[in-house]
Amino acid sequence: MKYASQRVAYWYFTCAMVLFGVQILAGVLAGTVYVLPNVLSELLPFNIIRMIHTNALIVWLLMGFFGCAYYLVPEEAERDIESPLLAYIQLGLLMFGALSAVAGYTLGVHEGREFLEQPLWIKVAIVVVALIFLYNVSMTVLKGRRTAVTSVLLLGLWGIALFWLFAFYAPANLSLDKLYWWYIVHLWVEGVWELVMASVLAFLMIKTTGVDREVVEKWLYSIVGLALFSGLLGTGHHYYWIGAPGYWQWVGSVFSALEIAPFFAMVIFAFRMVFKGRKDHPNRAAVLWSLGCTVGAFFGAGVWGFLHTLSFVNYYTHGTQLTAAHGHLAFFGAYVMLNLALITYAMPYLRGKAPYHQGLNILSFWLMTGAMTVMTFALTFAGVIQVHLQRVLGMPYMEVQDQIAPFYWLRLGSGVVVGISAILFLWSVFGPVRERKARPAKVAVQPAE
């Protein structure tokens, strides 16, 4: 750790991991309800469990991004964070708002709009938190060294804040409401979040491979250009069936089909940097999570997104388990693995110890990735059968659910494995570490005189 103020990131990562646990627990509960519908039906209805699952995911990922920024910006800007005190106040407000929202959901206090269920006062608090954060990070960058990594990161973070403002606009017209609703949901995860992802990956590649910064920056600008070019108009694939004009079917199909390009570029970028750079970085787990992030994002957001993004295909697949398969692998590959990569890289420095529990961390990587792959294929097969039975043959929804129940059991089993692998990951980065004792030097045999 080069700068003392980077210590702020430790607490962001800790709080993010707490909410990561909440998200997984709610996900396992939701998966249980799919196969045992009466579980918790009186105490905690399914819609509340799902709300906690999705909201906890979004908040912990954002908290992780904040932690990533507070860790990497000082090293890039070559100075301490503008105000560590403000960073801690921001964290306190964010954590209080997140836990209050979860508590409120269990009591039925929410606004009902998917992903934007937070009460108004929490939405306002999020704006305050964003302003504190943007001031702190922007001033740190403006007063220090400016690099492509910090420029792209700031662009992404400011974009997140600006698009959040559409959460306050909820027109009575449902079509209009959905039109602006996607400005947040889509332009976050398939727009500005990709900029954050690209900049954090670039930082990790510079640090772990030692490849020249200029080479990394050229790749970074290319990826950002592709992401913005395809992602902004790619929003159109959400406008097919909400009452928007018909031309969106062409615009959405063409541009969202191109959204696979930046994710493919990230795969090429990361693997090329690792093969080109040095191979001796001691934190092998961080390198593995970084490479896995690009592959997971490519398949989850790119390939699985492309499978049902064309309008004439989406007509049949919209809102089926294929959407769930795409959503789960895309979020995991692109943003969960990204956060876990930087946490794996940063924690040894934040704790002042050498890279540790590498074997356990790598085991958690393969377990979690394997379980998410099984979950994705289970939901994909369930989705294909659902499309055929429900959308083609016209069978009733609930009868189809009975037919695809075995795939829901597979999803529940893989969700439990994800929970176990998350515990292994947490132990590997937060668990106790034994100091390595220096090996005694071998006594050289003295030649006879």
Side-chain angles (χ1 to χ4, degrees):
M1 190 168 66
K2 290 184 179 178
Y3 298 91
S5 60
Q6 284 179 289
R7 179 73 180 166
V8 169
Y10 176 87
W11 296 107
Y12 275 84
F13 293 149
T14 303
C15 292
M17 289 298 97
V18 170
L19 293 178
F20 182 34
V22 172
Q23 183 228 334
I24 292 177
L25 182 60
V28 171
L29 279 177
T32 305
V33 173
Y34 262 91
V35 292
L36 302 169
N38 292 326
V39 170
L40 297 175
S41 58
E42 298 292 332
L43 183 63
L44 203 59
F46 176 78
N47 67 311
I48 302 297
I49 298 173
R50 184 181 182 278
M51 207 180 291
I52 294 171
H53 178 59
T54 54
N55 277 229
L57 168 69
I58 300 297
V59 175
W60 90 253
L61 290 178
L62 284 174
M63 204 172 275
F65 290 164
F66 294 153
C68 292
Y70 281 131
Y71 183 82
L72 74 84
V73 164
E75 289 197 13
E76 288 292 299
E78 296 183 340
R79 66 183 296 265
D80 272 306
I81 295 168
E82 177 74 7
S83 171
L85 176 62
L86 277 178
Y88 284 120
I89 292 172
Q90 175 204 341
L91 178 62
L93 286 172
L94 188 58
M95 201 61 186
F96 175 75
L99 295 177
S100 299
V102 171
Y105 295 160
T106 60
L107 299 173
V109 180
H110 56 83
E111 292 193 348
R113 297 174 77 200
E114 191 180 7
F115 301 126
L116 303 177
E117 294 95 346
Q118 311 82 24
L120 181 63
W121 73 269
I122 291 184
K123 287 189 173 74
V124 174
I126 291 172
V127 173
V128 174
V129 164
L131 289 174
I132 293 173
F133 173 71
L134 290 173
Y135 166 78
N136 220 0
V137 174
S138 300
M139 292 306 293
T140 307
V141 171
L142 291 174
K143 291 182 180 178
R145 183 183 64 155
R146 298 175 201 176
T147 67
V149 172
T150 53
S151 299
V152 174
L153 181 67
L154 279 183
L155 183 63
L157 295 171
W158 274 93
I160 291 173
L162 290 174
F163 285 117
W164 172 252
L165 297 179
F166 287 99
F168 293 91
Y169 182 52
N173 183 301
L174 189 58
S175 295
L176 203 58
D177 176 49
K178 282 294 180 187
L179 202 73
Y180 290 109
W181 183 82
W182 284 115
Y183 278 22
I184 309 165
V185 179
H186 175 93
L187 291 179
W188 265 23
V189 298
E190 296 177 61
V192 289
W193 281 29
E194 283 183 41
L195 307 190
V196 176
M197 178 186 174
S199 57
V200 173
L201 268 178
F203 174 80
L204 283 167
M205 289 299 107
I206 291 170
K207 295 295 179 181
T208 58
T209 68
V211 172
D212 189 71
R213 179 179 286 273
E214 286 187 9
V215 177
V216 174
E217 289 180 347
K218 285 176 184 172
W219 275 93
L220 181 59
Y221 284 128
S222 304
I223 291 168
V224 168
L226 281 173
L228 292 177
F229 175 73
S230 59
L232 294 177
L233 285 174
T235 316
H237 70 249
H238 297 296
Y239 295 166
Y240 296 158
W241 324 117
I242 64 168
Y247 58 75
W248 280 111
Q249 295 194 21
W250 289 101
V251 175
S253 295
V254 171
F255 283 90
S256 59
L258 296 173
E259 285 187 77
I260 198 171
F263 292 109
F264 183 67
M266 282 192 216
V267 175
I268 302 296
F269 161 66
F271 278 84
R272 187 176 170 82
M273 293 305 106
V274 169
F275 282 117
K276 189 175 180 179
R278 64 170 189 261
K279 311 287 190 304
D280 58 345
H281 195 279
N283 199 333
R284 293 174 290 113
V287 177
L288 184 61
W289 281 108
S290 303
L291 293 175
C293 166
T294 62
V295 175
F298 170 67
F299 281 103
V303 176
W304 256 255
F306 178 77
L307 285 178
H308 63 145
T309 200
L310 302 176
S311 62
F312 55 87
V313 177
N314 191 269
Y315 178 79
Y316 293 96
T317 61
H318 190 83
T320 64
Q321 292 302 321
L322 278 170
T323 308
H326 162 55
H328 277 83
L329 190 58
F331 268 102
F332 173 71
Y335 304 120
V336 171
M337 294 180 95
L338 178 75
N339 270 301
L340 300 187
L342 193 72
I343 290 172
T344 297
Y345 171 79
M347 285 302 283
Y349 297 111
L350 292 170
R351 295 182 65 183
K353 300 177 187 296
Y356 46 88
H357 298 317
Q358 287 285 291
L360 195 61
N361 196 317
I362 290 172
L363 175 64
S364 75
F365 169 88
W366 288 112
L367 268 181
M368 201 180 295
T369 306
M372 288 304 299
T373 303
V374 171
M375 185 186 295
T376 302
F377 276 103
L379 291 172
T380 302
F381 288 130
V384 171
I385 294 172
Q386 184 183 9
V387 167
H388 179 69
L389 296 181
Q390 187 179 325
R391 302 280 166 83
V392 178
L393 299 183
M395 283 178 63
Y397 175 82
M398 290 310 295
E399 283 186 27
V400 174
Q401 293 300 303
D402 288 338
Q403 297 294 321
I404 58 179
F407 296 106
Y408 292 151
W409 280 104
L410 265 179
R411 174 173 63 179
L412 177 59
S414 53
V416 171
V417 176
V418 169
I420 294 169
S421 57
I423 292 170
L424 296 180
F425 176 84
L426 293 175
W427 186 266
S428 72
V429 293
F430 289 100
V433 184
R434 281 187 301 180
E435 294 289 349
R436 290 180 181 173
K437 293 181 180 177
R439 292 181 180 177
K442 291 182 180 178
V443 178
V445 178
Q446 297 293 322
E449 295 186 5

